[in-house]
Amino acid sequence: MHTRFIDAFAGLPASLQSALEPILSHDDFPAMFTAEQVGQLKSKTSMDDAALAFALLPLAAACSLTPISHFHVGAVARGVSGNLYFGANMEFSGASMQQTVHAEQSAVTHAWMRGEPRLASITVNYTPCGHCRQFMNELNSGTELAIHLPERAVASLGEYLPYSFGPRDLEIETLLMDKVDHGYRIESQDALALQALDACNQSHAPYSQSHSGIALESASGKVFTGRYAENAAFNPSLPPLQAALVVLNLAGEDCLKIRRAVLIERTDPLVSQFDATRATLAALGCHSLAHTPL
């Protein structure tokens, strides 16, 4: 079991501990549960979907990186596939506050990066801030996305974000988590660059068309990719680096041990990721960033 889960695991109900132990004991636990695993957990604990997601929140929060606030937020996103995805807030010392990731953004991005087509609900241990409500409004789930909070009746995103403004108001037809392929190509033999290209081709940038993607090589040699997730309100947009860091962190890797990175974006984009990506990676101790314009 990854050391970050030990304390949270100890506080779980005995029946849930017993059901989780065979899954969490693997060093490569991906901070998610397949629909089959969810069914097994529900059967062994007699919990329904909502109760199980609430019970798993301490494990999700244990994945948070909070060197600035020391405030741990966890989220569990449930896909229409039945899969459950952890999310946790992330902060980076030495980088600007704008580079932080909220737990809801983390869980949504985690599900998106793993190919989940749509979310049914998200469970959080603290009320989503306005930033996150706007971020989630970009989803193809729309304002019907169910929000679960402790000691509060389940409510829709629309109830948390009345009089919302989002992609549908701008007649955007392709929404966040919809499957896309922008069709960009590059001439490269670098496997890392090709994975960054694949991420770029699946990025969501309907407002600026500034599609971008990144690939990170960790100290273990594993590769983690991230896609740009643009937002109708602009500021809640999530850069591709943060998307990659979400998956890297949730996989149990160290954000301070990134060997190299490749960022791919359009030539002279309206929104460039390069400067912020270079600065944030430098704050994390990585100075090997290749920049490939399309």
Side-chain angles (χ1 to χ4, degrees), residues 66-85:
T66 59
I68 302 170
S69 70
H70 306 291
F71 187 72
H72 306 282
V73 185
V76 177
R78 181 166 63 88
V80 294
S81 66
N83 294 350
L84 293 179
Y85 306 89

Side-chain angles (χ1 to χ4, degrees), residues 33-115:
F33 300 94
T34 65
E36 181 180 2
Q37 290 172 326
V38 170
Q40 293 170 353
L41 293 175
K42 289 163 59 179
S43 175
K44 292 178 179 178
T45 63
S46 299
M47 293 180 179
D48 60 16
D49 285 315
L52 178 61
F54 277 123
L56 293 172
L57 279 178
L59 295 176
C63 298
S64 64
L65 300 177
T66 59
I68 302 170
S69 70
H70 306 291
F71 187 72
H72 306 282
V73 185
V76 177
R78 181 166 63 88
V80 294
S81 66
N83 294 350
L84 293 179
Y85 306 89
F86 284 3
N89 59 322
M90 301 175 67
E91 303 160 0
F92 312 107
S93 297
S96 70
M97 281 291 200
Q98 286 77 12
Q99 302 308 307
T100 59
V101 181
H102 296 206
E104 296 90 331
Q105 289 179 305
S106 174
V108 168
T109 301
H110 189 198
W112 182 40
M113 292 302 302
R114 290 196 178 277

Side-chain angles (χ1 to χ4, degrees), residues 248-268:
L248 183 151
N249 171 54
L250 291 172
E253 297 270 341
D254 191 342
C255 292
L256 299 177
K257 295 181 179 179
I258 298 170
R259 288 178 181 170
R260 67 185 185 109
V262 177
L263 172 69
I264 290 184
E265 59 183 356
R266 295 181 62 175
T267 302
D268 298 323

